[in-house]
Amino acid sequence: MHVLTMIAALGAAQGFLVLLLMATRLRHRKYIPLAALLLVFSIRLATIPTWNPATLMAYPIVYPLTAPLPFLFGPLLWWYARELGSDASARPRFLPAHFLPYLAEVIAVTFTLIRMS
């Protein structure tokens, strides 16, 4: 494994550990969106070194799933700010609808890569 990839993978592991910490020690619903945001951000950064031709040919699903991850930053940050600003459950009504841009981009990138190969 390339050293840069291994260091980046440690960053993703750190994001996962922060998620576990927030789920076990800081058991409050207000921290769920922040923990998810930190995990998504860590995964995005950890997979960037794998975006080279050899890895993408060996694992073609990595790029379509991780390249559009910034589309999740906005909804998760908005959800976290909304949770902090209210006392009642501030879970957005149509929460899955906020993730549609990410799903649309995953589909678009996948079809683009399939057409290129």
Side-chain angles (χ1 to χ4, degrees):
M1 179 181 279
H2 195 265
V3 175
L4 184 60
T5 306
M6 192 170 86
I7 292 170
L10 289 174
Q14 179 184 7
F16 182 70
L17 289 176
V18 169
L19 175 68
L20 284 178
L21 173 71
M22 288 185 170
T24 57
R25 302 291 281 167
L26 303 172
R27 287 176 277 198
H28 200 280
R29 65 171 170 73
K30 292 183 183 261
Y31 296 119
I32 292 171
L34 177 63
L37 176 66
L38 291 173
L39 181 63
V40 167
F41 189 73
S42 299
I43 290 171
R44 164 68 178 195
L45 291 178
T47 57
I48 289 174
T50 64
W51 296 351
N52 57 50
T55 307
L56 291 177
M57 292 300 273
Y59 306 101
I61 197 70
V62 170
Y63 186 75
L65 290 179
T66 59
L69 282 176
F71 284 103
L72 296 179
F73 296 168
L76 290 173
L77 185 61
W78 171 76
W79 184 17
Y80 177 59
R82 195 172 156 158
E83 284 283 342
L84 286 180
S86 70
D87 291 331
S89 179
R91 184 172 167 260
R93 241 190 225 172
F94 302 108
L95 184 63
H98 295 284
F99 297 99
L100 288 178
Y102 171 74
L103 293 175
E105 185 65 18
V106 167
I107 292 168
V109 170
T110 302
F111 282 134
T112 303
L113 290 177
I114 288 171
R115 289 185 59 197
M116 289 175 66
S117 59

